[in-house]
Every structure is written in structure tokens, then in C-alpha cells.
Amino acid sequence: MQQVPCKFACLLRFTKARGVTFQQLNFLKRMYIAQNNKMLRQQAKLKAESAASPFPERELSASEKTVIHDVSPLLPPSSEKPVINEGRELTAVAGDSETVAEMSSRKEKQWKEMKLNMDELPGILARLSKIKLTALVVSTAAAGYAMAPVPFDPMCFLLASLGTGLSSCAANSINQFFEVPFDSNMNRTKNRPLVRGQISPLLAVSFAVSCAVPGLALLTLGVNPLTGALGAFNIVLYTCCYTPLKRISIVNTWVGAVVGAIPPIMGWTAATGTLDAGALLLGGLLYSWQFPHFNALSWGLREDYSRGGYCMMSVTHPAMCRRVALRHCFALIGLSSVAPVLDVTTWTFPIISLPINLYISYLGFRFYRDADRSSSRKLFFCSLWHLPLLLLLMLTCKKSLYQDNKKETVD
């Protein structure tokens, strides 16, 4: 840097002698700066950082740092007292103390007061009792009563139907109470009242008891003890045997078929007070009908049953599922042919019921051969109209009371 004044003096003398213009002087200045820039950078000393901030008005002391406290939402009186964490300091990198997802999960874990709308209670109880299945049970019991070879008693028929319906509501409610953890994993059952929390488990059990007690009392005291015993046996079989077996073994399908076969037997015993061949024939028809009906239904719900942890033939033994459905389709033809032999119907019944029995057997064969959702769906929808039509044909071909009295007189 000591040579800079000498060079600068020489440059001035040179400009005076030569008469350099302002533009040339400016050019020489830029060249001089470019040549000596490297030397200037090497000799420059870095300025020590000042302990004081250049912007004192923006500097905050430790006591002035922002402190954000977590304030939990106001809880009901029955819940625990919220804890307020004070003194938690948050930095700019950490951001907010809790995200929106954490707050929502905390609210979900808190106990909430269940509010039951009385206007929605009838619909909730109807879904809890599986009202459509209960209607099917009552209709089969009514068919069994109508097929009995005795005079029709309207009061006994009403008491038997009401008691059977109440028993079915009780069994279905207890079934849903036991299967809440598993129903929540299935698309078919995830909207049931207990799964969605629309009704408390205590209220569901109370509803089941309030249906079972008067239902069995009506069947036992208002009809006859045999019918009441069958009703109690069916409730126990459905709730204590069929329901747990669904997660253990495929035997549950046969046990469930027995449960569905008892209501028409109850209708017959309500009218006659005895358990004879006609009652067993009606029970056999319902028993065999349930296999093509349920196996076709479960075939389209295999993923759901597997997700829910249920042991069904369609999941664990698919070939057996189709084979059993076809076998019982053929059994319907044989049982319809036995009806006139047992003096339940006339010989007209096997003839006029043959077309619909052959049709469901054809669909059962298609289901057995194709093993797809389309064939199972056709078989399932056919079973929905096959049973009421078969019972209606059976009722029209029922042997009249006059023919039975005439036969007894001749004997």
C-alpha cells in the first residue's frame, strides 16, 4: 500500500504531459481498481462482531419472550379435572404446541355424554332387533300355525305370533350386543346402532330382557308350555351357541339353520300342542332352504366376513359352500314330495311346486359350476321369493279338516 501514492503521482504527471481526457482517466481508474482488488481483499481485516445488536429495539429479553400455555377445553362435571401446563416456552421452529389432529384425537378420547333422541328411538330399536329378519321369523311361524290340521283360533294365533316376534327381537338384540367389536370391521354391519354408539349397551340389554320375558310368558302361559320351551331353547341356541361359533367353526351354519327351522315348528305346536311329523316337515323345509339362501349371501360377503374374523364356509371352504347349497336345493324337491305322504298336503303340492324347486336347483347348479358373484346373487334373490311362494302353495294344497274327519270316521 506504500507504493500507491507514488504510482498515483506518476499517473498525474503523465496525464498533464499527454493531456488525457476524462473518459480515458475513468478507464484507467477502473483498470487500477481491478488490478489491486485482490491485494485489497487479502489485506482487509474482518470486523469483529459487536456484542450489541444493531437493532436494539427488536431485541427481547428472556423475561419478555412469548409464553404460550395449553388450555384444555371445558369438560363435563363427571370427567376428570383438566391439567394446564404453564410455563412451556415455544420456539419459532417448534411452532404451535398441538396440531389440529392432536386436539381432535384428544377430544375423541374424552368421555362424552350420550344423547338419545326419543324421536329416533323407534328406528334404533327396530334396527337393533333386525326387524326384517324378525318379520320373516313371524311369517314362518304363522305359516306353521296355518298348516296345522286344527280349527283356526285367532286369539291363539295372535299370542303365538306376538310371543315369537318378541323372542326374535330379544335374540337379535343380544346377538348384536356380543358382536360389536367384530361388526365394526365389516361394511355390512358397521352402521348398526351399538357400533355407531346410537344406543348404550345397557339399554340394548334392557330392551332384550324386556322383549324376552313377556315373549316367553305369552308363549308359555298364553299358548302352551311346549311352544314356550321351544322359544326359550331358540333364544339360547342363537345367542349362546350360534353367535360364538361364528368365530370358531363352520358348524355355525348348520346350527343357524336349526335356529331358522324352529319358528314354523313353534307355529305348528301352538296350534296342535304336539310335535308330530307335520311340524318336522315344515322345519325341514326351512332348514334346507337356508343353505342356498345364506351360502349365496355369504359368497358375496367373503371379504367382509374375513375382515370381521368370522369362520364361514364361503371363506374357509368355498367348494363345500357351493356343494352344500346345491345339495339342499335338491332336498327341497324331496321334502315337497314327502308332504302328501305325511298327510300334510294333497298330491297336487309336489306337482305345482316342482317348477320353482327345479328353478332354484338350476340356479344352485349354476352357483356350484361358475362360483362367481353373479350366480350367487341370482341364487340369493331367487331364495327371497321362493320361500313365501312355496309356503303359499303348500297352504293352498293343505288337506282340509273335513277330509281328515272323514278319514277318521272311516277308520
Side-chain angles (χ1 to χ4, degrees):
M1 291 297 294
Q2 295 177 358
Q3 299 177 358
V4 174
C6 297
K7 292 183 178 180
F8 187 71
C10 294
L11 181 62
L12 289 176
R13 289 196 296 268
F14 178 78
T15 54
K16 288 181 180 180
R18 296 293 181 92
V20 180
T21 62
F22 177 78
Q23 289 80 4
Q24 292 174 342
L25 183 61
N26 194 18
F27 174 74
L28 293 173
K29 176 184 176 183
R30 290 197 302 270
M31 289 183 63
Y32 172 77
I33 293 174
Q35 290 175 0
N36 295 277
N37 190 25
K38 182 177 181 181
M39 183 180 62
L40 292 173
R41 285 200 305 268
Q42 291 175 352
Q43 295 178 358
K45 294 182 180 180
L46 296 176
K47 186 177 181 181
E49 294 182 1
S50 177
S53 175
F55 306 100
E57 67 276 7
R58 297 186 181 179
E59 186 71 16
L60 298 177
S61 62
S63 61
E64 294 175 344
K65 290 183 179 180
T66 304
V67 178
I68 301 176
H69 304 285
D70 291 335
V71 180
S72 61
L74 184 61
L75 300 178
S78 59
S79 59
E80 297 180 357
K81 184 179 180 180
V83 178
I84 301 177
N85 298 324
E86 298 184 358
R88 182 184 297 176
E89 297 183 358
L90 303 177
T91 62
V93 179
D96 295 335
S97 62
E98 290 182 345
T99 62
V100 177
E102 292 174 350
M103 290 296 295
S104 61
S105 63
R106 175 181 294 184
K107 291 180 180 178
E108 289 177 358
K109 292 178 182 179
Q110 294 173 355
W111 288 100
K112 296 181 180 179
E113 182 180 0
M114 180 177 292
K115 296 181 180 180
L116 181 62
N117 190 354
M118 297 305 296
D119 296 336
E120 299 177 356
L121 186 60
I124 293 174
L125 295 180
R127 285 185 284 122
L128 181 66
S129 59
K130 301 179 184 178
I131 194 64
K132 295 181 180 179
L133 180 60
T134 298
L136 177 63
V137 170
V138 173
S139 63
T140 56
Y145 190 96
M147 285 299 301
V150 294
F152 186 79
D153 185 356
M155 183 56 64
C156 182
F157 173 78
L158 181 62
L159 293 177
S161 300
L162 184 58
T164 304
L166 291 174
S167 301
S168 177
C169 290
N172 292 328
S173 301
I174 297 174
N175 170 261
Q176 290 196 36
F177 170 76
F178 285 143
E179 293 184 342
V180 171
F182 311 98
D183 287 345
S184 60
N185 297 324
M186 296 178 59
N187 294 328
R188 178 171 172 258
T189 57
K190 65 182 181 181
N191 290 324
R192 286 180 173 176
L194 282 172
V195 177
R196 295 184 61 185
Q198 295 177 327
I199 189 174
S200 65
L202 178 60
L203 185 56
V205 174
S206 301
F207 173 74
V209 173
S210 63
C211 289
V213 172
L216 295 178
L218 286 174
L219 293 176
T220 304
L221 304 177
V223 183
N224 55 61
L226 177 59
T227 306
L230 287 173
F233 172 73
N234 214 24
I235 293 176
V236 174
L237 187 65
Y238 186 70
T239 57
C240 300
C241 296
Y242 170 72
T243 300
L245 274 175
K246 289 169 68 176
R247 296 180 296 277
I248 299 175
S249 171
I250 61 173
V251 180
N252 71 83
T253 307
W254 282 268
V255 176
V258 174
V259 173
I262 290 179
I265 299 177
M266 293 172 60
W268 184 285
T269 58
T272 62
T274 58
L275 189 63
D276 49 19
L280 298 179
L281 175 65
L282 289 173
L285 284 173
L286 264 294
Y287 178 83
S288 292
W289 172 84
Q290 287 179 90
F291 286 96
H293 171 77
F294 181 75
N295 287 12
L297 173 65
S298 63
W299 188 266
L301 300 172
R302 285 178 295 174
E303 294 83 2
D304 248 8
Y305 281 122
S306 178
R307 193 182 305 113
Y310 293 113
C311 188
M312 296 296 175
M313 270 194 294
S314 59
V315 178
T316 59
H317 301 76
M320 180 187 294
C321 176
R322 305 192 309 271
R323 188 168 58 249
V324 170
L326 178 61
R327 184 184 305 154
H328 283 276
C329 287
F330 291 143
L332 291 173
I333 302 176
L335 290 171
S336 299
S337 303
V338 174
V341 178
L342 299 177
D343 289 332
V344 177
T345 65
T346 62
W347 285 99
T348 310
F349 174 68
I351 299 173
I352 64 175
S353 63
L354 186 61
I356 62 174
N357 288 333
L358 287 177
Y359 182 68
I360 195 173
S361 300
Y362 165 73
L363 293 180
F365 174 74
R366 287 279 303 271
F367 174 55
Y368 172 76
R369 184 190 64 185
D370 299 338
D372 56 0
R373 290 181 181 271
S374 177
S375 58
S376 66
R377 192 180 301 110
K378 290 179 181 179
L379 179 60
F380 171 72
F381 285 114
C382 175
S383 66
L384 294 180
W385 59 261
H386 175 271
L387 179 64
L389 184 57
L390 183 67
L391 293 177
L392 182 61
L393 293 176
M394 196 174 190
L395 185 59
T396 56
C397 298
K398 169 189 171 182
K399 279 194 173 182
S400 64
L401 186 60
Y402 172 75
Q403 292 177 344
D404 294 338
N405 292 336
K406 185 177 179 180
K407 182 178 179 180
E408 292 177 359
T409 304
V410 172
D411 292 341

